[in-house]
Short mmCIF file of all heavy atoms in Angstrom, two decimals:
data_model
loop_
_atom_site.label_atom_id
_atom_site.label_comp_id
_atom_site.label_asym_id
_atom_site.label_seq_id
_atom_site.Cartn_x
_atom_site.Cartn_y
_atom_site.Cartn_z
N ASP A 192 -12.67 -1.24 1.46
CA ASP A 192 -12.83 -0.94 0.04
C ASP A 192 -11.77 0.01 -0.48
O ASP A 192 -11.38 -0.04 -1.65
CB ASP A 192 -14.22 -0.33 -0.22
CG ASP A 192 -15.33 -1.35 -0.04
OD1 ASP A 192 -15.02 -2.56 -0.09
OD2 ASP A 192 -16.49 -0.94 0.16
N ARG A 193 -11.25 0.89 0.37
CA ARG A 193 -10.33 1.94 -0.08
C ARG A 193 -8.87 1.70 0.28
O ARG A 193 -7.97 2.30 -0.31
CB ARG A 193 -10.77 3.29 0.51
CG ARG A 193 -12.15 3.73 0.08
CD ARG A 193 -12.51 5.06 0.69
NE ARG A 193 -13.86 5.47 0.32
CZ ARG A 193 -14.45 6.59 0.73
NH1 ARG A 193 -13.78 7.42 1.51
NH2 ARG A 193 -15.68 6.88 0.35
N VAL A 194 -8.63 0.85 1.24
CA VAL A 194 -7.27 0.72 1.76
C VAL A 194 -6.32 0.13 0.73
O VAL A 194 -5.13 0.47 0.70
CB VAL A 194 -7.27 -0.13 3.05
CG1 VAL A 194 -7.62 -1.59 2.74
CG2 VAL A 194 -5.93 -0.04 3.74
N ASN A 195 -6.80 -0.73 -0.14
CA ASN A 195 -5.93 -1.36 -1.13
C ASN A 195 -5.25 -0.33 -2.02
O ASN A 195 -4.03 -0.37 -2.23
CB ASN A 195 -6.73 -2.34 -1.99
CG ASN A 195 -7.17 -3.54 -1.20
OD1 ASN A 195 -6.70 -3.77 -0.09
ND2 ASN A 195 -8.09 -4.31 -1.76
N SER A 196 -6.01 0.61 -2.54
CA SER A 196 -5.42 1.62 -3.42
C SER A 196 -4.47 2.53 -2.66
O SER A 196 -3.48 3.02 -3.22
CB SER A 196 -6.53 2.46 -4.07
OG SER A 196 -7.30 3.12 -3.10
N PHE A 197 -4.74 2.74 -1.36
CA PHE A 197 -3.85 3.59 -0.56
C PHE A 197 -2.46 2.95 -0.44
O PHE A 197 -1.44 3.60 -0.66
CB PHE A 197 -4.44 3.82 0.83
CG PHE A 197 -3.56 4.64 1.72
CD1 PHE A 197 -3.62 6.02 1.70
CD2 PHE A 197 -2.65 4.04 2.58
CE1 PHE A 197 -2.79 6.79 2.51
CE2 PHE A 197 -1.83 4.80 3.40
CZ PHE A 197 -1.90 6.18 3.36
N PHE A 198 -2.43 1.66 -0.10
CA PHE A 198 -1.13 0.99 0.03
C PHE A 198 -0.43 0.88 -1.31
O PHE A 198 0.80 1.03 -1.39
CB PHE A 198 -1.33 -0.41 0.64
CG PHE A 198 -1.49 -0.39 2.14
CD1 PHE A 198 -2.71 -0.65 2.74
CD2 PHE A 198 -0.42 -0.10 2.96
CE1 PHE A 198 -2.86 -0.62 4.11
CE2 PHE A 198 -0.55 -0.07 4.34
CZ PHE A 198 -1.77 -0.33 4.92
N ASP A 199 -1.18 0.66 -2.37
CA ASP A 199 -0.57 0.60 -3.70
C ASP A 199 0.10 1.92 -4.06
O ASP A 199 1.21 1.96 -4.59
CB ASP A 199 -1.63 0.26 -4.75
CG ASP A 199 -2.08 -1.19 -4.68
OD1 ASP A 199 -1.35 -1.99 -4.08
OD2 ASP A 199 -3.16 -1.51 -5.21
N GLU A 200 -0.59 3.02 -3.77
CA GLU A 200 -0.04 4.33 -4.10
C GLU A 200 1.16 4.66 -3.23
O GLU A 200 2.14 5.26 -3.70
CB GLU A 200 -1.11 5.41 -3.95
CG GLU A 200 -0.69 6.74 -4.52
CD GLU A 200 -1.87 7.63 -4.87
OE1 GLU A 200 -3.02 7.15 -4.86
OE2 GLU A 200 -1.62 8.80 -5.17
N ALA A 201 1.10 4.29 -1.96
CA ALA A 201 2.23 4.54 -1.06
C ALA A 201 3.47 3.80 -1.55
O ALA A 201 4.58 4.33 -1.53
CB ALA A 201 1.88 4.10 0.36
N ALA A 202 3.28 2.57 -2.03
CA ALA A 202 4.41 1.81 -2.56
C ALA A 202 4.89 2.40 -3.88
O ALA A 202 6.10 2.48 -4.13
CB ALA A 202 3.99 0.35 -2.76
N ARG A 203 3.97 2.87 -4.71
CA ARG A 203 4.33 3.44 -6.01
C ARG A 203 5.18 4.69 -5.85
O ARG A 203 6.08 4.96 -6.64
CB ARG A 203 3.06 3.73 -6.81
CG ARG A 203 3.35 4.23 -8.22
CD ARG A 203 2.13 4.18 -9.11
NE ARG A 203 1.03 5.00 -8.61
CZ ARG A 203 -0.09 4.52 -8.08
NH1 ARG A 203 -0.25 3.21 -7.97
NH2 ARG A 203 -1.04 5.31 -7.66
N HIS A 204 4.88 5.49 -4.82
CA HIS A 204 5.63 6.72 -4.56
C HIS A 204 6.89 6.47 -3.75
O HIS A 204 7.64 7.41 -3.45
CB HIS A 204 4.76 7.74 -3.85
CG HIS A 204 3.72 8.37 -4.73
ND1 HIS A 204 4.03 9.15 -5.81
CD2 HIS A 204 2.36 8.31 -4.69
CE1 HIS A 204 2.92 9.57 -6.40
NE2 HIS A 204 1.89 9.07 -5.74
N GLY A 205 7.12 5.22 -3.35
CA GLY A 205 8.34 4.90 -2.63
C GLY A 205 8.30 5.18 -1.14
O GLY A 205 9.35 5.18 -0.48
N PHE A 206 7.12 5.41 -0.58
CA PHE A 206 7.03 5.65 0.86
C PHE A 206 7.17 4.35 1.65
O PHE A 206 7.61 4.35 2.79
CB PHE A 206 5.70 6.32 1.21
CG PHE A 206 5.55 7.69 0.61
CD1 PHE A 206 4.51 7.97 -0.26
CD2 PHE A 206 6.45 8.70 0.90
CE1 PHE A 206 4.37 9.22 -0.83
CE2 PHE A 206 6.33 9.96 0.35
CZ PHE A 206 5.29 10.22 -0.53
N ILE A 207 6.78 3.25 1.04
CA ILE A 207 6.95 1.93 1.65
C ILE A 207 7.40 0.97 0.56
O ILE A 207 7.27 1.24 -0.63
CB ILE A 207 5.64 1.41 2.28
CG1 ILE A 207 4.53 1.30 1.22
CG2 ILE A 207 5.20 2.30 3.43
CD1 ILE A 207 3.25 0.67 1.73
N THR A 208 7.96 -0.17 0.99
CA THR A 208 8.33 -1.22 0.05
C THR A 208 7.17 -2.21 -0.05
O THR A 208 6.26 -2.21 0.78
CB THR A 208 9.59 -1.94 0.52
OG1 THR A 208 9.31 -2.64 1.74
CG2 THR A 208 10.73 -0.95 0.75
N SER A 209 7.24 -3.05 -1.05
CA SER A 209 6.18 -4.06 -1.20
C SER A 209 6.16 -5.01 -0.01
O SER A 209 5.12 -5.54 0.35
CB SER A 209 6.39 -4.84 -2.51
OG SER A 209 7.69 -5.44 -2.53
N ASP A 210 7.34 -5.21 0.61
CA ASP A 210 7.39 -6.09 1.78
C ASP A 210 6.71 -5.47 2.99
O ASP A 210 6.33 -6.19 3.92
CB ASP A 210 8.86 -6.40 2.14
CG ASP A 210 9.52 -7.27 1.09
OD1 ASP A 210 8.78 -7.96 0.36
OD2 ASP A 210 10.76 -7.24 0.99
N GLU A 211 6.57 -4.15 3.00
CA GLU A 211 5.95 -3.49 4.15
C GLU A 211 4.43 -3.44 4.05
O GLU A 211 3.76 -3.04 5.00
CB GLU A 211 6.50 -2.05 4.28
CG GLU A 211 7.95 -2.01 4.73
CD GLU A 211 8.48 -0.59 4.80
OE1 GLU A 211 8.37 0.13 3.80
OE2 GLU A 211 8.98 -0.19 5.87
N ILE A 212 3.89 -3.82 2.90
CA ILE A 212 2.44 -3.88 2.78
C ILE A 212 1.94 -5.01 3.67
O ILE A 212 2.47 -6.12 3.62
CB ILE A 212 2.03 -4.12 1.31
CG1 ILE A 212 2.48 -2.95 0.44
CG2 ILE A 212 0.53 -4.32 1.20
CD1 ILE A 212 2.21 -3.15 -1.04
N PRO A 213 0.92 -4.75 4.48
CA PRO A 213 0.40 -5.80 5.38
C PRO A 213 0.09 -7.10 4.63
O PRO A 213 -0.44 -7.06 3.51
CB PRO A 213 -0.86 -5.16 5.97
CG PRO A 213 -0.59 -3.71 5.91
CD PRO A 213 0.19 -3.49 4.64
N GLU A 214 0.43 -8.20 5.24
CA GLU A 214 0.23 -9.50 4.58
C GLU A 214 -1.23 -9.72 4.20
O GLU A 214 -1.51 -10.31 3.15
CB GLU A 214 0.69 -10.62 5.53
CG GLU A 214 2.19 -10.64 5.75
CD GLU A 214 2.61 -11.78 6.65
OE1 GLU A 214 1.72 -12.57 7.03
OE2 GLU A 214 3.80 -11.87 6.98
N ILE A 215 -2.13 -9.27 5.03
CA ILE A 215 -3.55 -9.47 4.74
C ILE A 215 -3.97 -8.73 3.48
O ILE A 215 -4.95 -9.07 2.81
CB ILE A 215 -4.41 -9.01 5.93
CG1 ILE A 215 -5.85 -9.49 5.73
CG2 ILE A 215 -4.35 -7.50 6.12
CD1 ILE A 215 -6.73 -9.22 6.92
N ARG A 216 -3.20 -7.69 3.11
CA ARG A 216 -3.49 -6.90 1.92
C ARG A 216 -2.92 -7.53 0.66
O ARG A 216 -3.42 -7.38 -0.43
CB ARG A 216 -2.96 -5.47 2.13
CG ARG A 216 -2.69 -4.66 0.88
CD ARG A 216 -3.98 -4.33 0.13
NE ARG A 216 -3.64 -3.64 -1.10
CZ ARG A 216 -3.31 -4.21 -2.24
NH1 ARG A 216 -3.24 -5.53 -2.31
NH2 ARG A 216 -3.04 -3.50 -3.30
#
């Protein structure tokens, strides 16, 4: 339930790229 927003925020702050978000997400 919470992991989606975590990855979105990490990408928004530039810690990861959109390509690095797990495919299942």
Side-chain angles (χ1 to χ4, degrees):
D192 290 341
R193 299 180 182 179
V194 69
N195 291 347
S196 60
F197 178 86
F198 280 109
D199 287 342
E200 190 157 350
R203 184 165 61 251
H204 287 296
F206 296 120
I207 60 174
T208 65
S209 57
D210 292 337
E211 290 178 306
I212 297 176
E214 292 182 3
I215 191 174
R216 158 67 184 85

